[in-house]
Amino acid sequence: MLQQTAIDKFLVKSEEAAKVIIETVQKDGNISVFSHLDADGVAAAGVIGKMLVRLDARFRIRVMQWVDDKIVEAIKADKPELVIMTDFGSGYLDLLNEKIPDYNVVILDHHQITGTTNNPRIVQLNPHLYGIDGATEVSGSGVAYFAAKAVNAENVDLAPIALVGALGDMQDKYEQRSFHSLNEIIVNDAVAVGLLKVEKDLTFFGRETRPIHKMLATTTNPFIPGLSGQETDALNFVANLDIPLKEGDRLRALCDLKDDERKKLCTALADYLLSKGLHLEVENLIGNVYVLTKEEPNTALRDGREFAVLLNSTGRMDKPSLGIAICMGDRKCALEEANKILEGYRKNINKYLGWVMEKPERLRELNHIYVIYGENFINEKIIGTVSSILVSGLTNNEKPLLAFANIEQEQAAKFSGRTTEAALRKGVNLGDVMRIASETHGGKGGGHNIAAGAQVSLDKIEDFIKTADELVGKQLKGEKIGNENSN
Ligand code: C5P
Ligand code: C5P
Ligand code: ZN
């Protein structure tokens, strides 16, 4: 017999998860779905929601920031026949085993796994079990997609939503921003059913919705000195290329350019970057863009990356049901409202970024990490985005960034850690750092090697920071920090 590959084993396990779901629905059992609040979690909830509607199941979806006693209490109150957790759960096996051992639970997750379970009532589909990397090869919505596809092949039409989640988790890390492994299977599925086109283009954010000069002026990745942050200069740059800025009354976006105009813009940007000595940036100008072919042009839903930010905004601004409704097909009220939420979200982020930069004590450099003291100013649900944005702009890119915000009513602080590929290569694993440092001080944490989070009580903030700083120092020296995850 041919040896089963890791991917085969993962797919076999997806059938087991599907079987539990189908059997519950056949018995008309109640299903409680819990998902994570970021773009990937909202997309995962949308995939599972659509799958359950198609099964005519009885279910309810709730979106949360993490797994804790609140979820346990909700489960005990609902008494569902089945709990489905998407985009979280694998870091909380001990909690589930201890607090709700008698409930059937299907976990569809891609986070590092903490603890083990021999409880037959817990079915866990997670790529790490097979040596597949959950940080880069499949997202939570991707795992949910494979379960949905195993439930019924008609659910392949949810493949684009699964990719939107993977883009939200920044998994397009391979050559020219392509996907790899399980994510690549999802791309192929989406293309095969005609819902996705993968094109090569400039990868600036805002391909469908931002006027070209605004797109250039707002880019931070790549950062273009002289154009980034300089709207008038960016406008002149485009106008000097004889590329019309308008079509009728409407300002044109990158997707509206004709091939020769696109080439002209590309060449001019490459020449400009080279003239500033920014060779690396030139290599990264062009990459895969993911076009959702059935969505209206010039809307945020047509570009996978813009779609992901829209979903992120709904989850992090306390309106996840809007994002979920959009993933399930709503293109009317939900989309209109979500676009308004997105505007508010952007304003908040800009306000936070400005605030951090205003005073040096708000962003401090320690021996091995940077820390942002968001305290009571930054919303704890948005601190993760702030951390994701700021990590790429730090002077020393081998030092991870930990940002925190206070949650006064819980007397706790929420930490969001982000690091870089360079730090990973040096041996940093933030998932382990956040988990061990938080547990040392009575909190809880975990996540991926490149992005992880934690909660600790307010009086433990400084202790936690000190421990995390030391742990990163140890990892950089190649020392064990105790009880690491194997993956
Ligand atoms: O819970 P989940 O896995 O969906 O969240 C991952 C988080 O980590 C996202 O907010 C994503 O933006 C961030 N991330 C990152 N860099 C990566 C992978 C994920 O900042 N390479
Ligand atoms: O909340 P934030 O976006 O910073 O989380 C980064 C990653 O760490 C996410 O994938 C999140 O699900 C994970 N995380 C975790 N356990 C926590 C906090 C965050 O697994 N207690
Ligand atoms: Zn995720």
Side-chain angles (χ1 to χ4, degrees), residues 36 38 40-41 87 110-111 139-140 169 448:
H36 186 219
D38 70 357
D40 184 31
D87 196 32
H110 69 134
H111 288 96
S139 69
D169 270 9
H448 307 292

Side-chain angles (χ1 to χ4, degrees), residues 390-457:
L390 289 178
V391 71
S392 56
L394 299 169
T395 323
N396 181 341
N397 81 343
E398 282 170 13
K399 283 190 181 182
L401 172 64
L402 270 52
F404 76 90
N406 297 350
I407 319 171
E408 285 299 330
Q409 64 277 26
E410 295 185 22
Q411 284 295 296
K414 152 79 191 152
F415 278 84
S416 269
R418 298 289 185 273
T419 192
T420 57
E421 301 283 340
L424 294 190
R425 281 194 294 273
K426 290 267 164 105
V428 171
N429 181 332
L430 271 192
D432 287 335
V433 169
M434 296 302 249
R435 181 171 50 80
I436 296 171
S438 61
E439 283 171 3
T440 306
H441 301 292
K444 185 87 186 99
H448 307 292
N449 53 6
I450 197 158
Q455 304 85 248
V456 293
S457 65

